[in-house]
Amino acid sequence: MNDSRPIGVFDSGIGGLTVVKALRDLLANENISYLGDTARVPYGPKSPETVQRYAVELAQMLMGKNAKALIVACNTVSSVALPLLTKKFSVPVIGVIDPGARAALQATRNRHIGVIGTRATIRSGAYEKAVRAIDNRVRVSSRACPLLVPLIEEGLLDDDVTDRMIVRYLEPLLADGIDTLVLGCTHYPLLTGAITRVLSSEIMLVDSAQNCARAVEKMLDRQSLRAAPANRGELHVAFTDAADNFLNVARDALQLSFGEIELRPLP
Ligand code: DGL
């Protein structure tokens, strides 16, 4: 196997870098081309139709870079646009919902899973559908947490205000009796420390980034799309507009290194 074309990864902005980090850790020899739509972030409050249109545009831009697969590193896009992207593009398309749902099913012991995400993700019911398509005896309790993304983007990863918001958002899910919590937004892995602090150690956290990376690895093997083992995996990062302070927050928290960032305006 020696397919050195890049894996195309996209997100509404910078949060998808958590998926890139997981991909780099697992598939260090793969070239990755990341595109973040910083011109139009956030997608969480937008309608499914708008998110679908944006998703197709970003996927087209990555296909222009000869991507061998498209990784939707955004729960909001994955929850409303995956069938459309799969239909429109000939390369494999992988999102974060299905891998997260499968991991949650493996983790839960009492068959009661909690999901947190943006309003669009929770409204779509995508996690419930993915979970119940595999096992319809499992209960899913979900909650939109719209204030978590701005808190993360401000770099308040280790802060009393963020801890209090987490308690407020998670209390109803805990009272409902969940034993597993899916971090259904690509920003949220940056809050793993804070959420662990607030939750009892009995609750299992499912991180969409790591599970997505494992699904990508399996897909590359299945479809014989792996780069040569000796390939030095390059990471190329592009945004549709200037990156804000959150880029530094993410880069530091994830210890991710990449060269110069390309500004790739929307067509
Ligand atoms: N990256 C998005 C997600 O995973 C959250 C940010 C946004 O609202 O665009 O859902």
Side-chain angles (χ1 to χ4, degrees), residues 111-262:
R111 293 168 175 271
H112 191 172
I113 295 168
V115 180
I116 53 173
T118 64
R119 282 210 171 96
T121 299
I122 299 305
R123 208 187 303 123
S124 75
Y127 274 104
E128 283 92 326
K129 285 179 208 148
V131 163
R132 296 170 70 85
I134 302 169
D135 185 344
N136 65 10
R137 290 160 306 171
V138 171
R139 260 185 84 191
V140 179
S141 301
S142 2
R143 182 107 209 245
C145 305
L147 286 176
L148 294 188
V149 165
L151 288 167
I152 296 166
E153 297 204 340
E154 283 305 318
L156 301 176
L157 306 181
D158 209 353
D159 193 281
D160 185 44
V161 174
T162 308
D163 287 5
R164 290 215 314 266
M165 276 322 298
I166 293 171
V167 171
R168 197 146 156 185
Y169 281 137
L170 294 188
E171 253 169 6
L173 299 181
L174 299 174
D176 249 12
I178 62 159
D179 76 345
T180 301
L181 179 69
V182 178
L183 305 182
C185 171
T186 46
H187 280 62
Y188 298 171
L190 295 173
L191 284 186
T192 303
I195 294 175
T196 312
R197 239 188 343 261
V198 163
L199 283 182
S200 96
S201 58
E202 250 101 88
I203 309 282
M204 294 286 295
L205 287 189
V206 172
D207 167 338
S208 53
Q210 272 179 20
N211 290 296
C212 175
R214 285 192 208 108
V216 174
E217 182 183 39
K218 279 199 197 131
M219 176 277 293
L220 293 177
D221 282 338
R222 223 177 23 242
Q223 310 231 9
S224 304
L225 290 173
R226 288 287 279 256
N231 188 58
R232 202 173 137 261
E234 306 267 344
L235 170 60
H236 180 265
V237 175
F239 294 123
T240 54
D241 199 352
D244 56 19
N245 167 58
F246 181 47
L247 181 61
N248 296 327
V249 174
R251 201 188 333 225
D252 292 352
L254 297 170
Q255 296 179 332
L256 201 55
S257 59
F258 40 85
E260 210 171 301
I261 289 159
E262 185 194 340

